[in-house]
Amino acid sequence: MTLFRSRIIKLFKLRNLSTAPQAVRVQEELTQTFKTTENNPVNHDERHLGKFYTIPSGQLKTIFSHGLTNEYKKIITTFTEACLMVRKPALDIFECLAQTNYKKPVNKYVIYGGYGCGKSSTLLHVIHHGYCSNKIIVHIPWATHWYLGPKEVANSTTKDGLVDLPIDAAAWLVNFKKQNADVLARTDLKLSKSYEWSPEDTSLKNSPLLDTIGLGIERIKYACDIVDALMTELKEACIAGKCKVLVAIDGFNALFADTTRVKDEQKQMVPSARISLTRSFLNITKSDWCNGEVVVVVDEKATEERRNSHLPRYLLSEKGFEHMDPFLPIAVENYSRDEFDTVIEYYKNRKWIRELTADGHKELKVISGANPRKLMNYCKHL
């Protein structure tokens, strides 16, 4: 009896061993219907269109330590991973970048679309692509934050009539340094000229750029001036062929707002044009440099004015349109039928949706209009 039991156990183990690899293969095949194993956006093309890819956790902490909304952070926690869908707008930009002549003035791309259609996700995909291409990233996650809720306001001591946001500028420098630590260490950029921040503090020509960034973080009162100098130095380094830069700004039309909630010493609201950070980032979005690209998002929610259309010509206003011209408009639309089906499968896999009938699937598509944000919100209750 004991011998018989041992043979049965041995046979059972052998069967399990033989079927285990097959079970793994089946699971991988199911996963491949909505997900790709190619996690390097540099390699993304039409083969990966409509599938999710995973941002490695190490890169996520480095690149997007400050570039994610609280809502998306909750999604990452809930799903236990950070995924983005490979969509056509991002692939269109990648295709253009692959054909770019970087010796000529920078190309500009304006991402636009209705609310919740995935503009910011497209920008994140582009930023990840830039990081994996060893480019220096100049990233503003949401420019509106500076104009609607600044941490501190002070009159500029170096630029007459302008207003500084020193704490916000220093916080941006912290994130810029973290986001670009590796590439800055490799390129070892030096200052092209000397800068005098005060009679006591100066940054000499040929001193490391990282040291100047560190000064702006330690001495907050210099932060805005150092951000301005940093934009100039990055442009000079690109022109000299020392590096490549990706400028990525979400809510870009906020830089042309006529009204903000920033008040000067007379308690008067100031337009965005009078804020020093605005001028710094408008400087690096000009066309007077090479070895880089400018990718921005315009959004109806970026300002408290101009909310009747999502089109770039309207949101940028005449001033902003002239500043960006020439640019390539990149439209982001709601999910296609295949993309919608892929998202539903992904939600099921991550247990965001427990059960869904065929009729439920159709109903979700109708009530959400295949809008990514609406679909996510409706699925919270399923």
Side-chain angles (χ1 to χ4, degrees):
M1 186 67 178
T2 304
L3 179 62
F4 177 75
R5 286 183 61 188
S6 64
R7 287 180 177 177
I8 291 295
I9 293 171
K10 184 176 182 181
L11 179 61
F12 181 75
K13 289 181 177 179
L14 288 173
R15 284 182 177 176
N16 278 349
L17 287 173
S18 64
T19 58
Q22 183 179 359
V24 171
R25 285 196 299 272
V26 170
Q27 181 61 35
E28 287 179 349
E29 289 174 2
L30 288 173
T31 301
Q32 289 307 303
T33 62
F34 62 85
K35 205 170 185 181
T36 175
T37 57
E38 180 55 75
N39 295 329
N40 187 340
V42 175
N43 299 326
H44 287 163
D45 54 33
E46 295 291 336
R47 295 170 299 172
H48 311 106
L49 186 63
K51 293 185 177 182
F52 283 93
Y53 83 97
T54 304
I55 303 175
S57 59
Q59 294 183 1
L60 180 71
K61 293 176 182 178
T62 300
I63 314 170
F64 302 121
S65 61
H66 75 299
L68 304 177
T69 62
N70 291 331
E71 184 177 2
Y72 192 60
K73 289 177 182 178
K74 291 178 181 178
I75 292 172
I76 293 173
T77 302
T78 303
F79 291 175
T80 67
E81 64 179 5
C83 280
L84 291 174
M85 179 182 281
V86 180
R87 303 187 68 192
K88 193 173 186 303
L91 292 184
D92 288 344
I93 294 176
F94 298 163
E95 184 177 354
C96 291
L97 295 180
Q99 301 175 27
T100 296
N101 182 349
Y102 282 96
K103 294 181 180 179
K104 294 188 176 181
V106 292
N107 290 333
K108 302 178 185 180
Y109 307 86
V110 176
I111 300 172
Y112 71 97
Y115 180 67
C117 63
K119 302 183 295 296
S120 296
S121 297
T122 299
L123 186 65
L124 294 181
H125 196 177
V126 172
I127 291 170
H128 192 198
H129 181 279
Y131 177 85
C132 294
S133 303
N134 297 315
K135 294 175 182 175
I136 294 176
I137 311 296
V138 175
H139 179 205
I140 303 178
W142 188 240
T144 309
H145 287 317
W146 292 341
Y147 306 120
L148 298 185
K151 303 273 191 310
E152 181 187 2
V153 180
N155 285 339
S156 174
T157 58
T158 57
K159 301 176 180 67
D160 291 339
L162 295 191
V163 172
D164 284 347
L165 309 178
I167 294 179
D168 293 289
W172 186 87
L173 286 172
V174 170
N175 294 318
F176 174 83
K177 184 178 180 180
K178 181 176 182 180
Q179 199 171 36
N180 298 284
D182 293 339
V183 66
L184 287 174
R186 288 195 302 270
T187 52
D188 190 26
L189 297 179
K190 310 287 187 181
L191 294 181
S192 62
K193 62 180 181 180
S194 297
Y195 293 89
E196 182 177 318
W197 315 114
S198 72
E200 297 81 21
D201 293 297
T202 59
S203 295
L204 300 177
K205 181 179 179 179
N206 292 325
S207 61
L209 184 62
L210 275 171
D211 289 353
T212 302
I213 295 172
L215 178 64
I217 295 170
E218 294 171 4
R219 306 293 299 276
I220 292 178
K221 64 179 180 179
Y222 304 146
C224 289
D225 288 338
I226 287 177
V227 168
D228 192 59
L230 175 61
M231 297 302 106
T232 300
E233 289 296 329
L234 288 176
K235 288 170 64 173
E236 292 295 330
C238 286
I239 293 171
K242 297 177 181 178
C243 62
K244 290 183 179 179
V245 169
L246 164 64
V247 180
I249 303 176
D250 202 346
F252 180 71
N253 48 305
L255 274 65
F256 301 96
D258 293 326
T259 58
T260 69
R261 294 184 187 177
V262 179
K263 296 182 180 180
D264 58 18
E265 287 187 340
Q266 287 73 39
K267 304 299 180 181
Q268 298 294 319
M269 299 289 191
V270 300
S272 58
R274 281 191 55 201
I275 298 172
S276 57
L277 285 176
T278 300
R279 295 202 180 184
S280 299
F281 288 101
L282 288 181
N283 178 28
I284 203 168
T285 53
K286 291 180 180 179
S287 302
D288 57 353
W289 57 289
C290 59
N291 276 318
E293 58 262 354
V294 176
V295 185
V296 303
V297 173
V298 291
D299 195 289
E300 296 169 77
K301 303 292 184 180
T303 66
E304 295 182 324
E305 56 196 30
R306 292 187 170 270
R307 293 190 171 186
N308 296 325
S309 172
H310 64 262
L311 298 177
R313 180 65 182 86
Y314 175 79
L315 291 177
L316 286 170
S317 72
E318 183 177 356
K319 187 185 301 183
F321 190 89
E322 290 177 355
H323 176 84
M324 290 299 291
D325 190 46
F327 65 85
L328 181 65
I330 304 292
V332 181
E333 300 177 348
N334 291 333
Y335 288 138
S336 66
R337 182 178 64 181
D338 291 340
E339 288 176 338
F340 183 86
D341 293 342
T342 297
V343 172
I344 293 298
E345 290 303 313
Y346 179 67
Y347 286 173
K348 288 179 180 178
N349 177 267
R350 307 316 297 176
K351 308 303 181 186
W352 190 247
I353 298 177
R354 294 293 181 176
E355 288 186 33
L356 188 66
T357 63
D359 289 340
H361 183 102
K362 292 178 183 178
E363 185 176 351
L364 271 178
K365 188 171 184 179
V366 171
I367 63 175
S368 68
N371 179 275
R373 182 179 290 273
K374 289 181 180 179
L375 178 62
M376 167 66 71
N377 290 333
Y378 282 126
C379 290
K380 287 178 180 180
H381 311 290
L382 299 179

